[in-house]
Amino acid sequence: MNARRLGCLSGTGLIAGTVTLVILGLGIWLGGGRWFSPGDLNARSGAPLGGVTSHAELAGNCSACHVPFWSADTMAGRCLSCHTDIQAQLQDPQSLHGGLGTQLAVSACRDCHTEHLGSDGVLTRVGADFPHEVTGFSLAAHQQNVETGQAFACQDCHLNGVQTFEGQVCADCHMRLDAGYLQQHIQTFGNACLECHDGVDRFMAFDHQQTRFPLQGAHQVLGCDACHLGMSTMAELVNTPTTCYACHAQDDAHQGQFGTDCAACHTPQGWKPASFDHNATNFPLTGGHLGVQCSACHVAGQYAGTPTTCYACHAQDDAHQGQFGTDCAACHTPQGWKPASFDHNATNFPLTGAHGTLPCVSCHASGTFAGLSTACASCHAEPTYHQGLFGLECAQCHTTNAWRPASFNGAHTFPMGHGGAQTCSSCHTTTLSTYTCYTCHDPAKTQKEHNKEGITDLSNCARCHPTGQEGDD
Amino acid sequence: MRRSGANELLLALLAVLLITIAYAAVVWWQGSLPAASDWLGHSLGAIGLFLMLMTETLYSLRKRSLSARWGRPATWLKFHIFTGIVGPYLAFLHTAWKFQGVAGAVLLLTGIVALSGFIGRYIYTAVPRTIEGAVMEEDELARQIEALEAELNAGLSGQPQNLWALAQWLGAKQSSSSEVGSVLGRAWNDWRETFIWWREKRRFNPALRPALNRLEGYIRRQQQLQRQRASLAAARRLLSLWHTIHVPLGVVLFLLAFVHVGAALYFATFLH
């Protein structure tokens, strides 16, 4: 023997290697792949699938489930080639495996299913992230065991493995929580809990739409106990009040001011938006009132008994500071404060003539409306033309249409309308206390004519001509 | 030799401890043992096999390479021991406590070969070697024994008479076991001599303790060389016998390991 030769190439090494290979070859020839199995396959029998009734019958036939890594086939594909029912489920999102496919993006059966754990080993092993609702029973209401204070573990309910569930588990556990209630409940409805309950207290297979209270809107997502709290008999369930207020009295933001007929304004979709018909009240909303928030008038949630007078809300808006009283509607409309339609003719100073076209401030300067004098002189100062001859009773001569023409009816020694005169100023050109005839009569010609008679004072014509006639003396 | 041998053992045990802590952390975190087929399990197996392959090949190649200059054989032996402990431990963790079929046989053989390695190491160190690792022949051992006697006599000159008497008494207190017994039982003999020396030294004045310690060193080295000289042939026979058993076990182990790996690659790579 060469001392430099590696041990594996020594005689004993070669013999041992050869014997090993022979024994291994014989073993594989006789037993197939059993030599490479990391553990026995599950021996639980079921319906024949793929020619076998249990995985254990596939022992030694590794390629029944395993594929070489270069193969286009997959282990999941091998599973589904036998488990055709699961293959069909995967096409149905409503099924257990179909639901898993959409929720977990499950790409391989072995994410949940195991093998080689012994002839009685578990075939399904799932973790806390398993979406239990796909089984038809949500764990939403089973997050924490109220008895232990710990999170629920699979085995708390699945006493014999996750693939099985004994319905009695529900009753056993819940009996410890409230025996009286559950006994009555089971007596009324039976002990097949899962036929009605899906883990979030939704009745399964129970069609609430067929009852006298079809579930609509937000009612559809509520847990049963939201309305049927504490009810454990059919009679209690059937006789559950159907009025809104029976359940929602405590939700009434209006504190009863609108009565108890919530549906008059609200729908099962939600409290908002609400559709209150204000026109059905004694204060229909028009104009600017349509665009304001409810709370603008109904302060502090006060609805019933809200005053309907304008001034009740708009007192602080009164630009007239109460001078026109509190009946805003006498002048204003709900469309807006402007334009306003004040009827001055209803006052003690109807607007006539030129007064009707003037802006209010022409008379009501400084925003003063009430208590103004109606005398002409309170607005119109006596003109110097009058020379104080007529007092302040303008209306004796003038109308509200215009200052002119005026209609003087007082004593006038000289005939008015002389020579076709139309206005006072025809003769009284500067003031009413003076006059001139030379507006019409040529002074030069008049002087020439009077010079013939030796008359030189031509300043007071009416003294010699009191009627305006040539023959007057 | 004993001290240098302890280093790689301590390092290996430290590595095993660290690996165990990391493994326990993973078990605690995921709540179960890492399956042999998952990423960590496969990694443990692959690294373990790689270390075991290094154990099996590198030291053997170095021993057989006359012209090699990369490292002394003794250093390679340390590496051999380190990988020979850590590799099998990783392979053991890789199993996830499943010992079935070829994989189970591989693990069983791994344990046997590793244990055999400890036995071989024990026998190997019974054969006296130079610092380069070369086996000492009997005449070299005789020369070293004579040199030690001269040193002992020189060391005892001027020492109290009772030290001479102690040296003569302890020097004559040789184990009477057979050659094979001397090889396999030397650990026991070492421990027994240590105890005797400790007991005898307590009877002397503490002021003589340094002289006693030097005396113990001379005499125990002398006795060791004498035992090795007497059991040299037996140690070589045992080492040869051990090789005859160990090598085939190793061959079978690695053949089955390769078959196991091949099957795993074929059937379970990526488990796709």
Side-chain angles (χ1 to χ4, degrees):
Chain A
M1 184 183 295
N2 187 348
R4 295 290 136 195
R5 190 192 304 170
L6 284 172
C8 59
L9 299 177
S10 66
T12 53
L14 291 172
I15 291 170
T18 304
V19 170
T20 302
L21 289 176
V22 169
I23 293 173
L24 195 59
L26 282 172
I28 294 172
W29 182 50
L30 294 173
R34 292 175 193 271
W35 288 69
F36 305 109
S37 174
D40 290 339
L41 295 171
N42 187 283
R44 186 167 54 197
S45 294
L49 290 174
V52 297
T53 58
S54 74
H55 285 173
E57 294 176 37
L58 296 171
N61 182 14
C62 306
S63 57
C65 302
H66 293 274
V67 292
F69 64 86
W70 59 80
S71 172
D73 199 358
T74 64
M75 286 182 70
R78 294 284 167 93
C79 297
L80 296 176
S81 67
C82 290
H83 294 277
T84 53
D85 54 333
I86 306 302
Q87 175 75 70
Q89 277 192 24
L90 289 174
Q91 310 305 317
D92 178 11
Q94 301 302 317
S95 69
L96 168 60
H97 289 90
L100 280 174
T102 57
Q103 293 197 29
L104 287 181
V106 173
S107 58
C109 307
R110 60 188 168 78
D111 284 353
C112 296
H113 299 289
T114 60
E115 249 304 357
H116 294 291
L117 296 178
S119 59
D120 58 350
V122 296
L123 286 175
T124 301
R125 188 163 53 190
V126 293
D129 59 344
F130 179 71
H132 206 282
E133 57 274 15
V134 300
T135 66
F137 189 85
S138 169
L139 296 183
H142 288 79
Q143 294 297 305
Q144 189 181 44
N145 189 324
V146 295
E147 291 182 315
T148 65
Q150 304 293 317
F152 268 104
C154 303
Q155 60 268 23
D156 286 345
C157 300
H158 299 281
L159 305 179
N160 298 311
V162 294
Q163 284 185 307
T164 62
F165 177 74
E166 305 297 334
Q168 187 60 31
V169 170
C170 300
D172 289 345
C173 192
H174 284 269
M175 193 69 80
R176 293 195 293 273
L177 300 177
D178 191 344
Y181 170 84
L182 196 68
Q183 283 172 346
Q184 188 177 30
H185 194 73
I186 290 176
Q187 190 175 7
T188 304
F189 298 108
N191 59 4
C193 307
L194 297 186
E195 287 187 6
C196 296
H197 297 285
D198 62 0
V200 287
D201 267 354
R202 300 291 303 166
F203 282 135
M204 295 182 299
F206 174 75
D207 187 5
H208 212 288
Q209 307 307 100
Q210 302 304 316
T211 69
R212 61 194 177 103
F213 192 82
L215 296 181
Q216 298 175 337
H219 291 149
Q220 292 178 319
V221 298
L222 289 176
C224 304
D225 60 352
C227 303
H228 301 291
L229 183 63
M231 299 179 185
S232 58
T233 67
M234 185 59 78
E236 288 176 318
L237 292 168
V238 169
N239 292 323
T240 302
T242 58
T243 63
C244 306
Y245 220 70
C247 284
H248 294 295
Q250 74 277 12
D251 304 324
D252 184 6
H254 320 304
Q255 299 178 329
Q257 299 173 84
F258 291 146
T260 59
D261 184 15
C262 308
C265 304
H266 302 284
T267 70
Q269 306 302 323
W271 293 114
K272 293 180 179 178
S275 59
F276 180 72
D277 184 8
H278 217 287
N279 295 331
T281 70
N282 61 352
F283 191 83
L285 296 181
T286 57
H289 290 150
L290 288 170
V292 299
Q293 295 292 320
C294 305
S295 58
C297 302
H298 301 289
V299 181
Q302 184 67 34
Y303 292 88
T306 303
T308 58
T309 63
C310 305
Y311 220 70
C313 285
H314 294 295
Q316 73 277 13
D317 304 325
D318 184 6
H320 319 304
Q321 299 177 330
Q323 298 173 88
F324 290 145
T326 59
D327 183 15
C328 306
C331 304
H332 302 283
T333 70
Q335 305 302 323
W337 294 113
K338 293 180 179 177
S341 59
F342 180 71
D343 185 8
H344 217 290
N345 295 331
T347 70
N348 61 352
F349 191 82
L351 295 182
T352 58
H355 287 154
T357 61
L358 290 174
C360 304
V361 294
S362 296
C363 302
H364 301 286
S366 305
T368 302
F369 293 87
L372 290 184
S373 171
T374 59
C376 303
S378 65
C379 287
H380 303 290
E382 184 184 12
T384 55
Y385 181 70
H386 282 188
Q387 291 287 295
L389 295 175
F390 304 124
L392 298 177
E393 291 299 323
C394 307
Q396 288 186 355
C397 302
H398 300 283
T399 69
T400 56
N401 292 320
W403 292 112
R404 294 171 184 167
S407 57
F408 180 69
N409 295 316
H412 196 282
T413 57
F414 193 81
M416 288 193 287
H418 167 77
Q422 295 296 317
T423 64
C424 301
S425 60
S426 298
C427 299
H428 305 285
T429 56
T430 55
T431 65
L432 289 175
S433 60
T434 61
Y435 72 93
T436 181
C437 298
Y438 299 114
T439 306
C440 299
H441 298 280
D442 183 354
K445 185 180 176 182
T446 301
Q447 186 173 14
K448 185 179 177 181
E449 291 291 331
H450 283 78
N451 283 340
K452 291 176 183 177
E453 297 176 24
I455 302 169
T456 57
D457 183 5
L458 299 180
S459 59
N460 187 3
C461 300
R463 185 165 61 90
C464 300
H465 303 283
T467 64
Q469 299 300 315
E470 188 176 6
D472 287 345
D473 187 16
Chain B
M1 181 71 78
R2 185 189 304 159
R3 184 187 300 168
S4 64
N7 285 339
E8 65 269 15
L9 277 176
L10 284 176
L11 282 175
L13 290 175
L14 179 62
V16 165
L17 179 65
L18 293 176
I19 291 166
T20 303
I21 291 171
Y23 185 81
V26 172
V27 172
W28 175 81
W29 179 67
Q30 71 178 31
S32 63
L33 291 174
S37 58
D38 69 14
W39 186 86
L40 179 59
H42 271 148
S43 300
L44 290 171
I47 297 170
L49 179 63
F50 181 66
L51 292 179
M52 287 164 63
L53 279 172
M54 287 200 295
T55 307
E56 189 68 10
T57 56
L58 298 182
Y59 176 57
S60 295
L61 289 171
R62 178 63 185 91
K63 277 195 305 183
R64 286 163 175 76
S65 176
L66 296 173
S67 59
R69 297 180 181 276
W70 19 274
R72 289 160 37 202
T75 306
W76 282 101
L77 177 61
K78 291 179 183 177
F79 185 69
H80 172 86
I81 292 169
F82 177 83
T83 55
I85 293 173
V86 178
Y89 185 65
L90 291 176
F92 168 71
L93 295 181
H94 160 68
T95 64
W97 301 91
K98 285 185 177 179
F99 313 111
Q100 181 160 330
V102 172
V106 170
L107 187 73
L108 176 64
L109 282 167
T110 299
I112 292 172
V113 170
L115 180 63
S116 169
F118 280 104
I119 295 171
R121 167 69 175 160
Y122 185 72
I123 298 172
Y124 177 90
T125 53
V127 178
R129 296 170 189 275
T130 64
I131 196 167
E132 288 79 19
V135 177
M136 287 188 196
E137 296 301 332
E138 190 174 354
D139 53 351
E140 173 62 17
L141 285 172
R143 190 190 62 74
Q144 286 194 10
I145 291 169
E146 287 175 8
L148 269 176
E149 278 183 357
E151 285 184 41
L152 176 61
N153 290 330
L156 284 172
S157 63
Q159 295 296 336
Q161 190 61 36
N162 53 356
L163 276 186
W164 279 94
L166 176 65
Q168 287 179 334
W169 180 73
L170 288 173
K173 205 168 181 59
Q174 277 284 8
S175 170
S176 59
S177 56
S178 65
E179 290 184 10
V180 173
S182 177
V183 173
L184 299 180
R186 74 180 194 282
W188 162 253
N189 287 332
D190 280 346
W191 182 85
R192 189 173 64 90
E193 287 173 5
T194 302
F195 174 73
I196 291 171
W197 272 98
W198 171 77
R199 188 185 61 193
E200 296 301 324
K201 282 192 292 188
R202 290 179 63 201
R203 297 178 180 174
F204 286 81
N205 186 334
L208 293 173
R209 191 61 53 84
L212 278 168
N213 288 339
R214 283 196 302 275
L215 182 64
E216 178 186 5
Y218 286 133
I219 292 177
R220 293 190 66 177
R221 175 62 183 150
Q222 185 187 41
Q223 288 175 337
Q224 183 189 34
L225 288 171
Q226 286 170 345
R227 277 200 304 273
Q228 286 179 334
R229 183 183 178 188
S231 62
L232 185 59
R236 286 178 168 175
R237 282 199 306 277
L238 281 173
L239 194 59
S240 176
L241 175 64
W242 174 80
H243 268 114
T244 304
I245 297 170
H246 184 76
V247 169
L249 285 173
V251 169
V252 175
L253 162 63
F254 281 97
L255 264 179
L256 291 180
F258 289 144
V259 170
H260 164 70
V261 170
L265 287 173
Y266 182 83
F267 286 120
T269 301
F270 309 130
L271 287 174
H272 84 298

